[in-house]
């Protein structure tokens, strides 16, 4: 087995125990949330007899180990279970909600990369005043909480100037332009902080590469500054930039839970929040596990990209 296949095999195999540990954490942590889901479901009809009968029907009267074994066994068979409130299959709920979350995080990350990487390169290779301007953006983006920025954007762009709708959602297939109008504020809310992190990492990585001896050699050969920056410095800084982008995807997925609720987007994050309020174990378990699985898969892809950009990573992994 060559080094590339060995590297890929190791990374893929590492995801299996990671997913297992994550499933255990997700299963246990939701049961630490105060409140009885059965009494929440029954409301004023929550007599002791009704509570006991419903707990038996949905399996909450069984030992935790047996509940976990049944749940993970069903997941391995492709059965995600049902919403204990609406009785809708969770596979259908995820199929409806995941595209919204993917669109939100995908657009936010795309905007963050398009802003953060060029500004980071410019800050590392430009004048001092550009570096100071970008530093101000970094401090603002990292310091300001997403929910506060979202409220500020709603007050300015939706309430004051009435340029964009404050909340709601229309599927892209139904009306692409209206969809983008509804997605603009939540995407901006998430993208500002991510762009700041990517900018800071890009500036540091490109700046470090520009100090290396081979850059001086390339300058001495008369190679144009643009080619040196984009053909050599940015390429050598690629592993660091790819790593921070992969990490920030996880931050985006976590932030989407709050932002989807704030802007009334029907994504997985909002589904999880609703499930928590209802003490709806199956919904929260599957929703959180879906988000965690996406992040683990993105981390795997990031590792493979970093290994491709820097073969030394593969050598270290294979030995």
């Amino acid at each position: 087995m060559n080094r590339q296949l060995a590297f890929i095999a190791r990374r893929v195999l590492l995801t299996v125990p990671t997913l297992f540990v994550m499933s255990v954490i997700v299963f246990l942590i939701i049961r630490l949330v105060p409140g009885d889901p059965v009494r929440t479901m029954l409301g004023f009809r929550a007599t002791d007899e009704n509570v006991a009968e419903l707990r038996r029907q949905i399996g909450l009267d069984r030992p935790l180990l047996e509940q976990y074994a049944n749940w993970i066994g069903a997941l391995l068979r492709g059965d995600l279970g049902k919403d204990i409130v609406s009785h809708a299959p969770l596979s259908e709920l995820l199929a409806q909600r995941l595209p919204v979350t993917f669109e939100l995080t995908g657009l936010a990350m795309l905007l963050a990369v398009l802003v953060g990487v060029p500004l980071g390169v410019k800050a590392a290779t430009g004048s001092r005043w550009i570096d100071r301007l970008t530093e101000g953006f970094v401090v603002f983006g990292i310091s300001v909480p997403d929910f506060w920025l979202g409220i500020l954007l709603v007050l300015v762009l939706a309430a004051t100037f009435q340029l964009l709708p404050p909340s709601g959602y229309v599927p892209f297939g139904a009306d692409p332009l209206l969809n983008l109008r509804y997605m603009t504020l939540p995407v901006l809310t998430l993208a500002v902080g991510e762009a700041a992190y990517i900018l800071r990492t890009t500036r540091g990585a490109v700046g470090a590469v520009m100090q290396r001896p081979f850059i001086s050699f390339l300058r001495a050969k008369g190679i144009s500054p643009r080619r040196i920056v984009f053909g050599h410095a940015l390429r050598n800084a690629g592993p660091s930039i790819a790593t921070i982008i992969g990490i920030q995807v996880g931050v985006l997925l976590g932030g989407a839970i709050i932002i989807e609720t704030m802007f009334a987007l029907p994504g997985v994050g909002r589904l999880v929040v609703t499930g928590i309020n209802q003490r709806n174990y199956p919904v929260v378990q599957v929703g959180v596990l879906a988000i965690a699985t996406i992040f683990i898969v993105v981390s795997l892809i990031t590792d493979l990209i970093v290994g491709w950009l820097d073969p030394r990573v593969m050598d270290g992994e294979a030995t």
Side-chain angles (χ1 to χ4, degrees):
M1 182 181 293
N2 58 37
R3 62 178 186 172
Q4 290 87 355
L5 291 179
F7 176 78
I8 294 172
R10 285 189 173 222
R11 290 304 188 189
V12 171
L13 290 176
L14 279 174
T15 62
V16 177
T18 304
L19 285 172
F20 170 73
V21 172
M22 182 60 63
S23 69
V24 174
I25 294 174
V26 169
F27 178 83
L28 293 177
I29 201 168
I30 183 58
R31 282 158 174 78
L32 298 178
V33 177
D36 188 341
V38 175
R39 291 189 178 274
T40 301
M41 292 169 56
L42 291 174
F44 67 91
R45 298 173 297 171
T47 64
D48 291 340
E49 293 78 10
N50 290 342
V51 169
E53 176 61 22
L54 187 55
R55 289 182 68 86
R56 184 191 63 78
Q57 290 178 7
I58 60 180
L60 294 180
D61 61 331
R62 301 170 185 172
L64 282 180
L65 185 59
E66 183 179 350
Q67 291 183 43
Y68 175 78
N70 292 336
W71 176 60
I72 202 68
L75 284 180
L76 294 176
R77 295 192 302 270
D79 181 11
L80 302 184
K82 292 186 177 181
D83 184 336
I84 62 176
V85 175
S86 66
H87 305 292
L90 292 177
S91 57
E92 294 182 4
L93 291 179
L94 282 183
Q96 296 168 0
R97 304 291 185 122
L98 278 175
V100 181
T101 300
F102 284 153
E103 182 182 7
L104 174 62
T105 57
L107 290 175
M109 181 53 70
L110 177 62
L111 180 60
V113 171
L114 292 177
V115 172
V117 173
L119 286 182
V121 173
K122 193 66 177 176
T125 60
S127 60
R128 181 174 294 274
W129 72 268
I130 294 178
D131 183 57
R132 289 182 177 178
L133 283 177
T134 55
E135 181 64 27
F137 175 76
V138 168
V139 172
F140 174 81
I142 293 177
S143 304
V144 175
D146 288 343
F147 69 88
W148 187 88
L149 179 60
I151 294 172
L152 180 64
L153 290 175
V154 169
L155 289 175
V156 175
L157 298 179
T160 302
F161 295 103
Q162 299 181 352
L163 298 175
L164 296 166
S167 64
Y169 179 76
V170 172
F172 185 83
D175 190 333
L177 291 179
L178 188 56
N179 168 270
L180 293 177
R181 280 177 56 83
Y182 276 114
M183 295 297 292
T184 298
L185 287 182
V187 166
L188 285 175
T189 301
L190 284 176
V192 169
E194 307 313 311
Y197 281 103
I198 294 172
L199 191 161
R200 185 178 65 174
T201 301
T202 302
R203 181 183 60 191
V206 173
V209 174
M210 293 297 291
Q211 302 301 318
R212 294 181 183 177
F214 81 91
I215 296 294
S216 300
F217 174 75
L218 293 174
R219 287 171 175 162
K221 289 183 64 177
I223 297 177
S224 65
R226 183 179 181 84
R227 185 179 174 186
I228 291 175
V229 172
F230 292 98
H232 298 277
L234 187 59
R235 182 176 180 179
N236 280 270
S240 299
I241 299 172
T243 299
I244 192 62
I245 291 174
I247 293 173
Q248 293 308 116
V249 169
V251 177
L252 274 178
L253 291 170
I257 295 178
I258 299 174
I259 299 305
E260 286 177 0
T261 303
M262 177 184 296
F263 290 97
L265 297 177
V268 177
R270 189 179 177 192
L271 180 68
V272 169
V273 172
T274 303
I276 293 173
N277 292 333
Q278 296 174 337
R279 309 298 186 269
N280 196 333
Y281 289 172
V283 167
V284 178
Q285 289 172 177
V286 171
V288 174
L289 190 62
I291 293 175
T293 301
I294 294 169
F295 177 53
I296 292 172
V297 172
V298 170
S299 298
L300 171 63
I301 295 173
T302 302
D303 287 342
L304 298 181
I305 292 174
V306 170
W308 174 69
L309 291 173
D310 188 355
R312 294 173 298 176
V313 175
M314 291 188 182
D315 293 335
E317 184 70 16
T319 55

